[in-house]
């Protein structure tokens, strides 16, 4: 058996002090949004509670599907880098970026450089360089192939959309086929939900049809994502059977907000190629904001 823990939308806080130059951009809208809304409901203590519970479950690997920062300032990126070093070794944690990790032009390059050890494919260069396409990447852990895709792009103010392009689609199909031929259980990590109607137009993923074709052509057993801060299950057409597409609440969401409280998925993969068994347990923060309980069990 292989156990994978899944969290998303960490939004590690609190916000650091920002210079006037940093605020003279799209960051000003995010800065105002944070203080009006998210600062009241997103707490680092909540994230600590969730991670402590995950540690007790002793998963084989931890997946994070984007939005580790809020405004992608240099100080935030450094803080998350230090937090990741405390969270675990790069070989045990896999990351894909979200729209907040590419919040303004130039941020995507800074975050991928800083967090490259956590999203470096098994066959990728040892060190990040600007001519290397990080995504998609593949990491093989036990019977599982983790395939990380990126939808992170800088967008105008009041937009939070993502993009899945042709180059990445072709490369992802190749990795999926390679993993399938090796008899591995294929898990695709992505930030934006690759489902039409899963979020509002200004937050949608551009390239949804392309991603669906990638999954049906290349084959996969599971897709996990974040972005919506919701606990959801959708389905995409697969090669032989429908593929579950599973989202999760923000890992920093406290109780009492408009979105569900912090949660994580714990997936258990058993069986072998042609006879896989997948179970998902969702654990959620309780109303006391200090404990976590099993909220749902699903067998796919």
């Amino acid at each position: 058996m292989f156990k994978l823990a899944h969290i998303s939308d960490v939004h590690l806080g609190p916000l650091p002090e920002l210079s006037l130059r940093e605020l003279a951009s799209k960051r000003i809208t995010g800065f105002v949004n944070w203080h009006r809304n998210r600062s009241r409901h997103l707490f680092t203590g909540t994230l600590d509670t969730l991670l402590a519970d995950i540690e007790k479950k002793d998963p084989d690997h931890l997946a994070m599907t984007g939005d580790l920062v809020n405004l992608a300032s240099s100080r935030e990126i450094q803080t998350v880098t230090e937090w990741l070093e405390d969270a675990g070794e790069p070989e045990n944690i896999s990351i894909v970026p979200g729209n907040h990790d590419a919040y303004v032009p130039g941020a995507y390059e800074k975050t991928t450089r800083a967090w490259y050890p956590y999203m470096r494919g098994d066959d990728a260069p040892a060190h990040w360089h600007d001519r290397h396409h990080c995504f998609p990447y593949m990491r093989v852990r036990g019977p599982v192939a983790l395939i990380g895709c990126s939808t992170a792009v800088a967008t105008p103010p009041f937009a939070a959309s993502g993009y899945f392009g042709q180059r990445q689609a072709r490369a992802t199909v190749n990795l999926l086929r390679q993993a399938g031929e090796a008899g591995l259980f294929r898990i695709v990590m992505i930030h934006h939900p690759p489902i039409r109607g899963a979020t509002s137009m200004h937050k949608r993923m551009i390239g949804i049809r392309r991603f669906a074709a990638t999954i049906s052509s290349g084959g996969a057993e599971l897709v996990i994502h974040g972005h919506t801060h919701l606990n959801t299950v959708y389905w995409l057409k697969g090669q032989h059977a429908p593929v579950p597409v599973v989202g999760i609440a923000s890992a920093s969401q406290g109780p009492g907000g408009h979105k569900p409280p912090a949660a994580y998925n714990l997936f258990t993969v058993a069986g072998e190629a042609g006879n896989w068994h997948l179970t998902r347990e969702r654990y959620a923060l309780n109303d006391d904001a200090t404990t976590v309980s099993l909220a749902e069990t699903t067998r796919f």
Side-chain angles (χ1 to χ4, degrees), residues 85 104-105 107 123 136 138 141 163 273 281:
E85 292 171 355
V104 293
D123 298 327
M138 183 166 76
R141 302 292 184 267
Y163 179 72
E281 295 174 323

Side-chain angles (χ1 to χ4, degrees), residues 2-5 59-62 91-94 139 141 146:
F2 184 90
K3 292 194 295 183
L4 175 71
D60 296 290
H61 204 79
L62 174 62
E91 59 263 29
N92 299 323
I93 299 175
S94 294
R139 294 175 144 195
R141 302 292 184 267
L146 290 156

Side-chain angles (χ1 to χ4, degrees), residues 186-258:
R186 296 159 294 183
I187 301 176
V188 180
M189 303 167 54
I190 196 166
H191 179 65
H192 290 78
I195 302 293
R196 196 173 304 279
T199 188
S200 55
M201 286 293 289
H202 71 287
K203 295 182 178 182
R204 74 192 189 282
M205 170 178 145
I206 299 169
I208 283 178
R209 184 181 299 177
R210 184 178 295 125
F211 184 85
T214 297
I215 296 301
S216 62
S217 177
E221 281 67 50
L222 173 65
V223 177
I224 58 177
H225 70 87
H227 191 53
T228 61
H229 296 202
L230 298 174
N231 305 304
T232 53
V233 177
Y234 299 103
W235 298 87
L236 283 174
K237 181 182 178 182
Q239 284 185 321
H240 307 293
V243 179
V245 179
V246 184
I248 193 66
S250 165
S252 295
Q253 180 72 46
H258 295 298

Side-chain angles (χ1 to χ4, degrees), residues 62-268:
L62 174 62
M64 302 184 188
T65 50
D67 278 5
L68 277 68
V69 295
N70 294 287
L71 307 182
S73 67
S74 296
R75 189 172 300 179
E76 276 189 289
I77 294 169
Q78 180 59 34
T79 298
V80 167
T81 303
E82 295 169 359
W83 173 78
L84 284 171
E85 292 171 355
D86 289 336
E89 296 296 325
E91 59 263 29
N92 299 323
I93 299 175
S94 294
I95 293 174
V96 294
N99 54 290
H100 279 262
D101 305 318
Y103 205 69
V104 293
Y108 180 81
E109 289 75 16
K110 291 180 181 179
T111 55
T112 52
R113 179 192 291 270
W115 308 334
Y116 179 65
Y118 297 87
M119 45 197 186
R120 181 173 72 86
D122 291 339
D123 298 327
H127 302 287
W128 184 94
H129 58 80
D130 56 8
R131 294 179 300 278
H132 167 60
H133 291 294
C134 286
F135 303 97
Y137 69 76
M138 183 166 76
R139 294 175 144 195
V140 176
R141 302 292 184 267
V144 167
L146 290 156
I147 297 171
C149 296
S150 174
T151 53
V153 291
T155 57
F158 308 109
S161 54
Y163 179 72
F164 184 75
Q166 292 183 358
R167 183 206 62 81
Q168 194 172 182
R170 288 192 298 268
T172 302
V173 167
N174 291 336
L175 290 180
L176 289 170
R177 289 176 176 170
Q178 177 185 335
E181 291 168 358
L184 298 170
F185 186 97
R186 296 159 294 183
I187 301 176
V188 180
M189 303 167 54
I190 196 166
H191 179 65
H192 290 78
I195 302 293
R196 196 173 304 279
T199 188
S200 55
M201 286 293 289
H202 71 287
K203 295 182 178 182
R204 74 192 189 282
M205 170 178 145
I206 299 169
I208 283 178
R209 184 181 299 177
R210 184 178 295 125
F211 184 85
T214 297
I215 296 301
S216 62
S217 177
E221 281 67 50
L222 173 65
V223 177
I224 58 177
H225 70 87
H227 191 53
T228 61
H229 296 202
L230 298 174
N231 305 304
T232 53
V233 177
Y234 299 103
W235 298 87
L236 283 174
K237 181 182 178 182
Q239 284 185 321
H240 307 293
V243 179
V245 179
V246 184
I248 193 66
S250 165
S252 295
Q253 180 72 46
H258 295 298
K259 295 293 180 73
Y264 70 89
N265 288 317
L266 184 64
F267 296 101
T268 301

